Amino acid sequence: MSRSVAKNYFYNVTYQIIALIIPFITVPYVSRVLGPKGVGINAFTGNNVQYFILFGTIGLSLYGNRTIAYKRDDKEEMSKEFWEIFFLIFSLSIVSYIIFFLLFCINNKYKIIYIFQSISILSTAIDISWLFMGLEDFKKTVTRNLIFKIAGVICVFAFVKTIDDLWKYVFIYSFFGFLGQAIMLLYLPKIVFKPKISELKIKKHVIPALKLFMPQIAISIYAILDKTMLGVLTNVTQVAFYDQSQKLVKMVLVIVTSMSTVMLPRMANTYAKGDNKKLKDYLAKSFIFSTGVSLPVLFGLIGISYELVPWFMGSKFLIVIKLMVIISPIILAISWSAVFGTQYLVPINKNKEFTLTVILGAIVNFVLNLILIPRYQAFGTSIASVAAEWSVVIAQLWVIRNEFNILNQVKEIYKYIIASIFMFALVRIIGSILGACKTTNFIQIAAGMICYILILILFKENLFMDFAKKKVMKNKFILTYYGKRGKYGLH
């Protein structure tokens, strides 16, 4: 893994982890202050806004990221492409905002809340984070996001005191989101040339962006559809069980999927240069790395769930433990589909193939939900979700069968499997001895990580050892331990 990729991955994972920690700080406070009604209004109105954000961008953020990566070595051409995409996003978002305002902000009992929620659509209109991602400059976007998220949290605690302050809560998060996007515009003069309006060809980007928009729609549909079907075919209690198990899985998924955000522009730029050999090398290394991260996360989450759920959710949600065991394999599936789809098929412009694989997943999810939910309820939905994600992976492997043979990678990933199994055994032993509490989970996680890393060292796993040579072995303590010419050949 190159230095810049490792650094960008670190920035992205750091941001995602902090973004997950913040709700743990704010949710207990907000829930108590706003109550179920206030939280419900915020969730309901915010969810409606997301549809207009989705249709306001029509996949242009992902498309823009890839396009900038293609053109970044030619500043003049890159600038032209940037302004064309930016003006298209801006125009569509403004149209989407106007429609939203007419539908929700005039004659609606939540019109004040909707007005403040609609600021998020305006934020999307000026969002240029895709430019920095295409340039592989993640530091600016991550730093910006962290600063304004933390500022938002401080303001929530300072100004939101009762349910009557719901509008303040909505405004704070929407306003800081908008301010964060606006600040990034100040960097533009140093990155791109001024636009020559007469030379811009905005329409040419619509069809390519729509091709990337279709899989996003398919993903969104079956990400939401499973809960809708579960609620219609059973009851809201089953939805709650399934939703809670999904939340825990999604918490750890950010660690796995952050690599896709980092690797997409790198793969796109390599493809644009015509270096297919390096492209395949990136694909293989990314696959191995993602597997090395996702397997211990998968086994670890199952391992700690028996002690995590009781204290984190309470005794009424013990069924979530079994649901997590069923749904956790989705972690590896999503990790692999992120590599084959987002990191490879999208950058090399195989949008049709990518879209078809995702649509297949949506169909599998829908059909299995119809069959399994009436009989197995939340368990049926969990099985359907796992089957859907793995169907996407299998389809993508078929599409890239001539460029990538997973069987050739077995000699590398078997090390991760063995290390994960040993780690799981250790975690379960600790859990059975100490019982369910926060301290147990902390000890399990720490011991599991140490166990996993030590086994990889014993196996002399290639990617890990490369990272160790470049980073860890520079530490003076380790240099002293191994000597100036130790087993890793340091000089």
Side-chain angles (χ1 to χ4, degrees):
M1 193 190 304
S2 70
R3 182 180 179 183
S4 61
V5 172
K7 186 185 295 184
N8 287 332
Y9 179 71
F10 170 78
Y11 282 131
N12 204 36
V13 168
T14 300
Y15 168 69
Q16 297 288 357
I17 291 174
I18 293 176
L20 283 171
I21 292 174
I22 287 175
F24 279 96
I25 300 171
T26 58
V27 167
Y29 176 78
V30 171
S31 299
R32 186 176 68 254
V33 171
L34 299 182
K37 183 180 179 181
V39 172
I41 293 171
N42 175 60
F44 177 72
T45 55
N47 189 64
N48 288 336
V49 169
Q50 291 304 311
Y51 292 110
F52 289 84
I53 290 175
L54 183 65
F55 285 97
T57 57
I58 63 164
L60 281 163
S61 294
L62 184 60
Y63 171 75
N65 181 345
R66 186 185 67 182
T67 302
I68 295 300
Y70 283 161
K71 305 291 184 179
R72 69 188 185 197
D73 296 325
D74 184 341
K75 186 174 180 179
E76 185 172 350
E77 185 64 23
M78 182 195 74
S79 299
K80 184 173 177 292
E81 297 279 343
F82 165 76
W83 288 114
E84 289 171 348
I85 297 170
F86 174 78
F87 285 133
L88 182 55
I89 292 176
F90 184 85
S91 302
L92 291 173
S93 296
I94 294 301
V95 171
S96 185
Y97 177 82
I98 292 171
I99 296 172
F100 176 85
F101 193 90
L102 293 174
L103 290 175
F104 294 98
C105 300
I106 298 178
N107 295 316
N108 192 293
K109 62 179 179 178
Y110 300 133
K111 65 179 181 180
I112 299 299
I113 303 301
Y114 272 124
I115 288 172
F116 290 130
Q117 291 278 21
S118 68
I119 296 174
S120 297
I121 303 176
L122 298 178
S123 299
T124 303
I126 60 171
D127 180 11
I128 58 169
S129 57
W130 48 272
L131 168 66
F132 296 95
M133 290 179 182
L135 294 171
E136 295 191 67
D137 185 357
F138 286 78
K139 184 177 181 180
K140 288 186 179 67
T141 54
V142 168
T143 304
R144 183 271 324 260
N145 285 335
L146 288 179
I147 290 173
F148 285 102
K149 276 188 177 294
I150 293 170
V153 170
I154 294 171
C155 288
V156 166
F157 282 106
F159 300 110
V160 180
K161 302 296 183 182
T162 70
I163 190 172
D164 294 329
D165 296 325
L166 174 61
W167 69 270
K168 296 180 183 178
Y169 176 75
V170 174
F171 174 75
I172 286 169
Y173 276 107
S174 297
F175 173 73
F176 277 108
F178 180 83
L179 192 60
Q181 302 296 359
I183 290 293
M184 299 302 287
L185 296 175
L186 299 177
Y187 290 105
L188 282 182
K190 297 180 180 179
I191 300 174
V192 295
F193 296 127
K194 291 182 179 180
K196 297 178 182 178
I197 304 299
S198 60
E199 296 181 3
L200 299 182
K201 299 178 181 178
I202 297 176
K203 291 182 180 179
K204 73 176 185 180
H205 298 285
V206 174
I207 299 303
L210 284 173
K211 290 179 179 178
L212 287 178
F213 184 53
M214 293 306 295
Q216 290 184 48
I217 288 291
I219 291 171
S220 298
I221 288 174
Y222 81 77
I224 299 171
L225 191 62
D226 51 4
K227 293 176 187 176
T228 302
M229 294 180 69
L230 184 60
V232 171
L233 297 174
T234 59
N235 54 68
V236 292
T237 302
Q238 291 295 316
V239 175
F241 292 147
Y242 176 69
D243 184 55
Q244 292 297 83
S245 65
Q246 283 273 46
K247 282 180 180 177
L248 288 171
V249 170
K250 287 178 180 178
M251 282 172 57
V252 298
L253 265 175
V254 294
I255 302 172
V256 176
T257 56
S258 288
M259 177 57 73
S260 293
T261 307
V262 172
M263 285 301 295
L264 189 150
R266 174 60 58 92
M267 300 282 270
N269 185 253
T270 303
Y271 174 71
K273 292 178 178 177
D275 194 341
N276 291 326
K277 185 177 183 298
K278 182 177 285 188
L279 192 69
K280 292 179 182 179
D281 183 56
Y282 279 144
L283 175 62
K285 287 184 177 179
S286 184
F287 169 76
I288 294 170
F289 179 83
S290 295
T291 305
V293 173
S294 59
L295 275 175
V297 169
L298 189 166
F299 280 92
L301 186 61
I302 295 175
I304 70 171
S305 64
Y306 296 87
E307 289 71 45
L308 173 67
V309 172
W311 71 262
F312 190 70
M313 296 182 183
S315 59
K316 293 181 180 180
F317 286 91
L318 293 181
I319 192 175
V320 171
I321 297 173
K322 295 179 180 179
L323 291 174
M324 286 177 63
V325 173
I326 294 172
I327 207 169
S328 287
I330 210 172
I331 295 172
L332 183 62
I334 291 176
S335 168
W336 283 3
S337 66
V339 173
F340 306 140
T342 309
Q343 294 181 34
Y344 189 71
L345 292 176
V346 172
I348 67 172
N349 218 18
K350 287 193 175 183
N351 301 320
K352 180 180 178 182
E353 291 84 349
F354 178 57
T355 301
L356 290 174
T357 62
V358 175
I359 291 175
L360 172 65
I363 294 171
V364 170
N365 185 262
F366 177 76
V367 172
L368 288 182
N369 274 332
L370 282 178
I371 297 170
L372 298 175
I373 288 177
R375 184 172 181 180
Y376 300 107
Q377 301 183 325
F379 291 99
T381 308
S382 300
I383 294 169
S385 295
V386 173
E389 293 294 347
W390 278 104
S391 68
V392 173
V393 172
I394 293 170
Q396 290 175 345
L397 278 170
W398 174 258
V399 171
I400 64 171
R401 63 191 181 280
N402 295 325
E403 294 87 18
F404 182 85
N405 187 339
I406 193 171
L407 295 178
N408 294 335
Q409 306 299 327
V410 172
K411 62 182 179 181
E412 292 292 339
I413 65 174
Y414 85 90
K415 302 171 186 176
Y416 301 120
I417 297 172
I418 294 174
S420 296
I421 291 172
F422 274 97
M423 180 200 71
F424 174 81
L426 176 62
V427 166
R428 289 306 319 128
I429 291 171
I430 294 172
S432 62
I433 294 173
L434 299 182
C437 65
K438 297 178 184 178
T439 304
T440 300
N441 284 147
F442 286 127
I443 294 173
Q444 286 174 310
I445 292 169
M449 290 175 63
I450 293 170
C451 173
Y452 185 75
I453 292 171
L454 288 177
I455 293 175
L456 290 185
I457 291 175
L458 291 175
F459 275 127
K460 297 182 180 179
E461 192 280 326
N462 293 332
L463 278 182
F464 177 81
M465 297 312 300
D466 288 343
F467 180 79
K469 288 179 183 179
K470 293 177 182 178
K471 302 290 181 182
V472 181
M473 294 307 167
K474 290 182 180 179
N475 184 280
K476 291 182 180 181
F477 171 79
I478 297 178
L479 282 174
T480 303
Y481 183 81
Y482 283 105
K484 291 185 178 180
R485 292 179 179 270
K487 63 183 285 189
Y488 296 107
L490 297 173
H491 297 276

